[in-house]
Amino acid sequence: MATGEQQPQLGTTRVSSSSTSPRGRAATGSGAEKYERDARRYWDIFYKRHEDKFFKDRHYLDKEWGKYFEGHDGEKMVVLEVGCGAGNTIFPLLSTYPDIFVHACDFSPRAVDLVKKHKDFRSDRINAFVCDITSEQLTENMEPSSANIVTMIFVLSAVAPDKMPLVVQNVKNVLKHGGRVLFRDYANGDLAQERLMSKGQQISENFYVRGDGTRAYYFSNEYLVDLFSKCGFTLEEICVHNKQVENRSLDLVMNRNWIQATFTLNSADRQGPNDLHVCEGKEDKLVADSSKKKSSSEEIDLSEDFCNMFGTSHNLDEVQIMGIKAKGHDFKIKVLTKEYQHTCKLTGLMLWESAQLMCGLLAENPSIVAGKRVLELGGGSAGICSMVAASFAKFVVATDGDAESLDLLRQNISSNLEPNLLDRIMIRKLFWGNNDDVRAVRELSDNGAGFDCIIGTDVTYNPDAILPLFKTARELISDKANEDSRAAFILSYIQRRVDENSILSNAMAQGFRLVDKWINGVHESNGIISSWFSGNDVCSAYQNTTLSILYFEL
């Protein structure tokens, strides 16, 4: 289950990471158990989708650790590759060192099949087998204490932290005394960790679920050294590498971190206190050395596929029908259910509480949109706010930046609205900050007059999107006002990674002022928003949810 480095799809000009704690849809409890229980299935799906085309071949092992693969006095080196994936490590290794013998195991049966179907596979040089290294003994497929080297390249990070000691002990059982573990994996503080954190995809400390259901742990030096030391290994070298990776097509500079280490199996079963002290001292020295700049030509595991680290598309055949009722409305909409919230890159394919709240408020308070030019930003596939608004507004433009969400949105609107209301609603692609998209949507507002009411529900969860969101809203909101009516930008959301101060500072920078705010059970509004709840029970369904509404004007 090789889990090589991957890159994000979206970002700002320079993207770095931080250690701020996440807020949001954390994959805890039954969700975390599901990802543990179905781990093999997620990796099998991964290799079914990507086969051997996802990870680059790892030619850097010769450069980084070449001296360890050379046998002495006629010795034939035996290597175990844990988490072999499709063979991106073992085949370059065999090409460089044709005299070695390789045992290759993976959690995914499909990955092992890919290895066996590789054009360079030879059964007299490779023993490829399926093994769950957290529960199945490697000694069932190879001799105990027989391997000179074990390579663990972006594999241990895919294992739940509480099972990592079992993996290291399992590896120890097949490694010769004096043999080495060559380790490379994700390091704490990597950009990918920040992105997963911002989407609320944390399972436990430093452990996250990706968009495709596979998992990733981000290591610190201390944690890694302690893990191997307790199983009788001595640290030989360790270094955290940092590299700025530039993607010119997206105008991104991304800070990537990975950790590389070599461990030696002691001749004794356990380390003594003095040995452990020496390991810690050597680690500290090498950590200091690791601050030196690395060569810009240094090879790093980076996939060219930007989409798959943070999500994967789901077939629209997986959607389910959900009933949504609001005053005077009874919708049957197609959406992905919440079970996919951590395994889908497109949050717009699901329906979130903030949209349901706003839908109910619009139905109870038609005056919010009555006779106005209405725009919904990031409306996703459900369209319930736009559909309610269409009953009262002059016209509505429902937008989203994702083509798949827009396809499902068209289906939901066409199947739920009467023909006379369909004439009042338009669906358009709008990627925030894209000048062509913004101009095209602006032209829909009565020859560029701008919109009187802009609505956004649950569109503030991504820190990188806040500034483009408000810039886009500023370009599209009407700046014509009179004493009776001012154009409004209304946000409804559950607070996640982005706090209110960040939202307000970006709003002010684009010329918006906060007129009113409401936080469920925490802060009553100054009058505008509180009046929307008068005489109805819209809020009763969300008593245990900290929903917020912010009301802006220019």
Side-chain angles (χ1 to χ4, degrees):
M1 52 187 178
T3 62
E5 197 77 26
Q6 306 166 347
Q7 296 182 13
Q9 184 175 15
L10 301 174
T12 56
T13 301
R14 182 173 298 274
V15 187
S16 59
S17 58
S18 71
S19 58
T20 309
S21 297
R23 295 182 180 182
R25 303 188 287 265
T28 56
S30 59
E33 293 171 4
K34 170 183 171 62
Y35 299 122
E36 174 67 24
R37 183 178 64 250
D38 296 340
R40 186 191 297 268
R41 183 172 68 88
Y42 284 125
W43 279 109
D44 241 21
I45 292 171
F46 176 92
Y47 285 108
K48 179 181 179 181
R49 180 179 294 120
H50 301 291
E51 296 185 331
D52 59 352
K53 299 177 179 63
F54 191 86
F55 302 118
K56 295 178 180 179
D57 281 348
R58 293 161 175 157
H59 296 285
Y60 57 78
L61 269 74
D62 175 47
K63 186 174 100 174
E64 299 290 337
W65 292 302
K67 60 184 178 181
Y68 300 132
F69 293 99
E70 297 174 353
H72 300 286
D73 301 324
E75 181 185 18
K76 186 172 183 178
M77 301 294 285
V78 176
V79 177
L80 167 63
E81 163 74 348
V82 178
C84 62
N88 299 90
T89 297
I90 62 175
F91 290 112
L93 203 56
L94 283 164
S95 176
T96 306
Y97 301 98
D99 294 331
I100 66 174
F101 183 86
V102 175
H103 297 279
C105 71
D106 200 278
F107 195 25
S108 164
R110 196 177 296 271
V112 174
D113 285 343
L114 289 170
V115 170
K116 291 181 176 179
K117 291 175 182 177
H118 193 280
K119 62 182 180 62
D120 294 327
F121 177 80
R122 285 174 44 185
S123 59
D124 61 333
R125 300 184 64 193
I126 304 171
N127 170 33
F129 58 95
V130 177
C131 181
D132 178 353
I133 53 173
T134 67
S135 61
E136 299 169 0
Q137 293 302 307
L138 290 164
T139 51
E140 295 177 8
N141 290 278
M142 56 185 294
E143 292 296 321
S145 304
S146 61
N148 302 94
I149 295 171
V150 175
T151 58
M152 302 181 73
I153 311 298
F154 293 105
V155 60
L156 193 59
S157 55
V159 175
D162 62 327
K163 293 188 175 181
M164 288 182 186
L166 301 176
V167 173
V168 177
Q169 182 63 47
N170 204 351
V171 165
K172 176 183 176 182
N173 292 339
V174 296
L175 192 63
K176 293 180 178 180
H177 292 304
R180 289 179 173 87
V181 172
L182 310 181
F183 182 94
R184 182 184 273 206
D185 220 317
Y186 302 106
N188 204 359
D190 180 62
L191 168 67
Q193 181 182 19
E194 174 76 4
R195 292 304 184 116
L196 293 167
M197 198 182 284
S198 72
K199 290 186 70 176
Q201 295 184 211
Q202 186 172 26
I203 297 174
S204 59
E205 185 177 3
N206 296 326
F207 194 41
Y208 303 83
V209 59
R210 296 193 190 91
D212 59 4
T214 62
R215 300 169 299 174
Y217 185 88
Y218 293 82
F219 290 93
S220 66
N221 287 5
E222 295 78 12
Y223 180 90
L224 185 64
V225 172
D226 184 63
L227 177 66
F228 276 84
S229 296
K230 286 180 177 177
C231 285
F233 286 87
T234 299
L235 175 67
E236 195 165 316
E237 57 182 353
I238 191 168
C239 183
V240 173
H241 296 244
N242 175 269
K243 189 180 181 79
Q244 286 191 342
V245 181
E246 182 177 4
N247 183 279
R248 293 178 180 176
S249 65
L250 294 181
D251 193 26
L252 298 180
V253 178
M254 299 167 287
N255 290 322
R256 308 309 307 269
N257 295 342
W258 74 97
I259 191 168
Q260 184 167 304
T262 304
F263 295 96
T264 306
L265 182 59
N266 298 329
S267 57
D269 284 338
R270 296 187 59 85
Q271 287 178 301
N274 293 334
D275 293 326
L276 185 57
H277 176 75
V278 171
C279 289
E280 291 178 338
K282 187 172 184 181
E283 179 202 5
D284 292 338
K285 177 178 182 296
L286 288 165
V287 170
D289 292 342
S290 72
S291 63
K292 297 177 182 178
K293 285 199 170 184
K294 308 298 172 187
S295 167
S296 59
S297 63
E298 182 176 34
E299 188 171 356
I300 175 176
D301 276 324
L302 288 175
S303 167
E304 296 302 324
D305 190 327
F306 276 72
C307 302
N308 286 282
M309 170 158 280
F310 302 103
T312 182
S313 280
H314 283 268
N315 192 305
L316 292 184
D317 291 340
E318 296 173 345
V319 300
Q320 297 184 10
I321 303 296
M322 179 182 293
I324 300 294
K325 292 186 177 182
K327 184 178 181 180
H329 301 82
D330 188 357
F331 300 128
K332 297 290 188 292
I333 60 170
K334 297 178 181 178
V335 291
L336 282 178
T337 60
K338 281 290 193 67
E339 70 176 289
Y340 294 108
Q341 64 177 296
H342 298 294
T343 59
C344 182
K345 67 178 179 181
L346 304 177
T347 56
L349 292 178
M350 285 161 280
L351 180 62
W352 303 101
E353 291 89 342
S354 55
Q356 296 180 63
L357 172 67
M358 200 66 214
C359 169
L361 291 176
L362 292 172
E364 294 284 350
N365 302 274
S367 61
I368 298 173
V369 295
K372 297 178 181 179
R373 302 179 294 258
V374 177
L375 169 68
E376 183 172 12
L377 295 175
S381 61
I384 56 176
C385 293
S386 289
M387 287 193 286
V388 170
S391 298
F392 313 109
K394 183 177 182 180
F395 63 82
V396 178
V397 180
T399 68
D400 199 88
D402 174 71
E404 195 169 4
S405 295
L406 290 174
D407 287 343
L408 192 53
L409 176 62
R410 291 185 184 93
Q411 294 179 40
N412 283 326
I413 288 178
S414 63
S415 63
N416 280 281
L417 291 187
E418 297 295 328
N420 63 312
L421 293 182
L422 286 174
D423 292 338
R424 291 192 200 170
I425 192 166
M426 293 171 277
I427 301 170
R428 293 292 187 274
K429 173 183 171 291
L430 176 56
F431 197 93
W432 303 338
N434 182 295
N435 292 333
D436 292 338
D437 288 356
V438 171
R439 278 194 296 269
V441 171
R442 176 95 188 185
E443 285 303 311
L444 299 174
S445 61
D446 284 350
N447 296 319
F451 292 88
D452 307 306
C453 182
I454 300 179
I455 297 169
T457 62
D458 218 351
V459 293
T460 58
Y461 65 87
N462 184 347
D464 295 333
I466 302 303
L467 181 57
L469 168 66
F470 278 100
K471 281 186 174 181
T472 299
R474 182 64 184 88
E475 289 290 328
L476 294 173
I477 198 167
S478 173
D479 53 11
K480 296 177 181 179
N482 54 55
E483 294 182 359
D484 298 325
S485 177
R486 288 181 176 271
F489 182 20
I490 304 168
L491 290 176
S492 173
Y493 64 97
I494 296 175
Q495 186 170 315
R496 293 191 176 90
R497 176 81 172 118
V498 182
D499 61 25
E500 184 181 305
N501 288 335
S502 177
I503 295 173
L504 295 181
S505 62
N506 280 281
M508 291 178 61
Q510 298 306 313
F512 288 96
R513 64 185 181 92
L514 182 66
V515 175
D516 197 9
K517 77 173 182 179
W518 171 87
I519 304 176
N520 188 20
V522 178
H523 185 278
E524 293 295 331
S525 84
N526 297 326
I528 296 176
I529 301 173
S530 61
S531 68
W532 298 345
F533 294 99
S534 178
N536 62 64
D537 62 351
V538 172
C539 193
S540 62
Y542 309 101
Q543 291 180 353
N544 298 321
T545 307
T546 308
L547 285 157
S548 300
I549 300 176
L550 302 180
Y551 188 100
F552 296 97
E553 293 177 356
L554 291 178

